[in-house]
């Protein structure tokens, strides 16, 4: 059976979703170190450190001066990050959002799997999209809580200039789109079931 253009596109998207899912899971392991670095280093120091490590990994330069401390920091950051309130809140928030994002990506993979089978209008797709919507709403709510925490902690409106303020409307809209798509898939699955019974 020849694959339709939609199925060809779904195959490419499925590969991209799986790659993104794996990167997301790996990034979850690096969250404590990133939170520690963000709390302890300036942006310029982080960029210099990253460039130095990158040139070493590409074989352009000999061992960087921070290479061993980088490995130590990876392991130590899992303990040190809980000693500071800001680093702990950042770590928990990023883990929470990362886990929700992993769930969203996995649900997207499940939807793409049904498209590849040629059976997109199933109730399982409606359920998957509803789960993705719930995760989007949870991320939006967590970002709103972190935004309010920033207002209270810093007694300033500066948290409005952070990515948290952007997460709230973006994931709220994404959740609403997923809910609408879930309802459409559910209705299409019910119509398909009725047609199958009629035939």
């Amino acid at each position: 059976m020849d694959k339709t253009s939609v199925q060809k596109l779904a195959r490419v998207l499925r590969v991209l979703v799986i790659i993104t899912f794996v990167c997301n899971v790996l990034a979850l392991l690096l969250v404590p170190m990133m939170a520690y670095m963000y709390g302890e280093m300036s942006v310029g120091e982080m960029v210099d450190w990253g460039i130095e490590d990158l040139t070493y990994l590409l074989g352009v330069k000999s061992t960087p001066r921070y290479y061993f401390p980088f490995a130590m920091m990876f392991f130590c950051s899992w303990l040190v990050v809980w000693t500071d309130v800001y680093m702990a809140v950042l770590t928990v928030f990023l883990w929470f959002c990362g886990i929700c994002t992993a769930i969203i990506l996995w649900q997207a993979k499940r939807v793409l799997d049904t498209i590849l089978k040629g059976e997109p209008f199933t109730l399982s797709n409606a359920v998957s999209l509803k789960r993705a919507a719930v995760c989007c709403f949870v991320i939006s709510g967590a970002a709103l809580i972190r935004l309010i925490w920033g207002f209270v902690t810093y007694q300033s409106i500066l948290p409005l200039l952070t990515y948290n303020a952007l997460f709230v409307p973006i994931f709220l809209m994404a959740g609403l789109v997923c809910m609408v798509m879930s309802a459409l898939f559910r209705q299409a699955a019910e119509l398909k079931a009725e047609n199958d019974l009629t035939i």
Side-chain angles (χ1 to χ4, degrees):
M1 182 175 130
D2 290 337
K3 297 287 184 189
T4 65
S5 60
V6 172
Q7 287 174 318
K8 290 176 185 174
L9 180 62
R11 185 174 304 282
V12 172
L13 283 174
R14 185 178 183 275
V15 170
L16 293 174
V17 165
I18 290 171
I19 291 169
T20 307
F21 177 80
V22 170
C23 290
N24 185 31
V25 171
L26 292 175
L28 286 173
L29 297 173
L30 299 174
V31 164
M33 188 176 73
M34 192 279 311
Y36 173 74
M37 287 172 57
Y38 189 76
E40 295 294 319
M41 293 183 163
S42 70
V43 175
E45 288 174 327
M46 282 194 289
V47 169
D48 290 342
W49 192 19
I51 290 171
E52 195 168 329
D53 277 348
L54 185 61
T55 55
Y56 168 70
L57 292 173
L58 294 175
V60 176
K61 209 172 159 186
S62 62
T63 306
R65 58 189 161 168
Y66 293 121
Y67 190 68
F68 182 70
F70 177 85
M72 288 295 292
M73 188 180 295
F74 174 78
F75 295 109
C76 294
S77 64
W78 282 77
L79 299 172
V80 174
V81 78
W82 306 111
T83 61
D84 180 65
V85 175
Y86 177 78
M87 287 190 289
V89 169
L90 181 61
T91 301
V92 170
F93 174 74
L94 292 176
W95 269 343
F96 193 71
C97 291
I99 291 168
C100 287
T101 305
I103 293 169
I104 292 167
L105 290 167
W106 193 254
Q107 300 309 313
K109 181 198 158 301
R110 290 182 65 188
V111 170
L112 291 168
D113 286 343
T114 62
I115 292 171
L116 288 172
K117 289 178 189 172
E119 302 169 357
F121 301 114
T122 61
L123 287 176
S124 65
N125 281 349
V127 171
S128 292
L129 286 166
K130 195 166 191 174
R131 286 180 188 149
V134 168
C135 287
C136 286
F137 292 141
V138 167
I139 291 173
S140 180
L144 181 63
I145 289 169
R146 187 150 184 253
L147 199 61
I148 292 169
W149 178 81
F151 291 146
V152 171
T153 302
Y154 303 115
Q155 297 182 353
S156 166
I157 61 166
L158 287 179
L160 282 175
L161 303 176
T162 64
Y163 62 89
N164 295 314
L166 197 59
F167 273 20
V168 175
I170 286 176
F171 281 97
L172 182 64
M173 287 188 297
L176 292 173
V177 168
C178 286
M179 288 297 284
V180 169
M181 294 299 291
S182 172
L184 288 174
F185 272 91
R186 182 176 301 282
Q187 190 173 12
E190 289 169 357
L191 287 172
K192 184 178 177 295
E194 284 177 20
N195 286 343
D196 290 347
L197 288 174
T198 304
I199 293 169

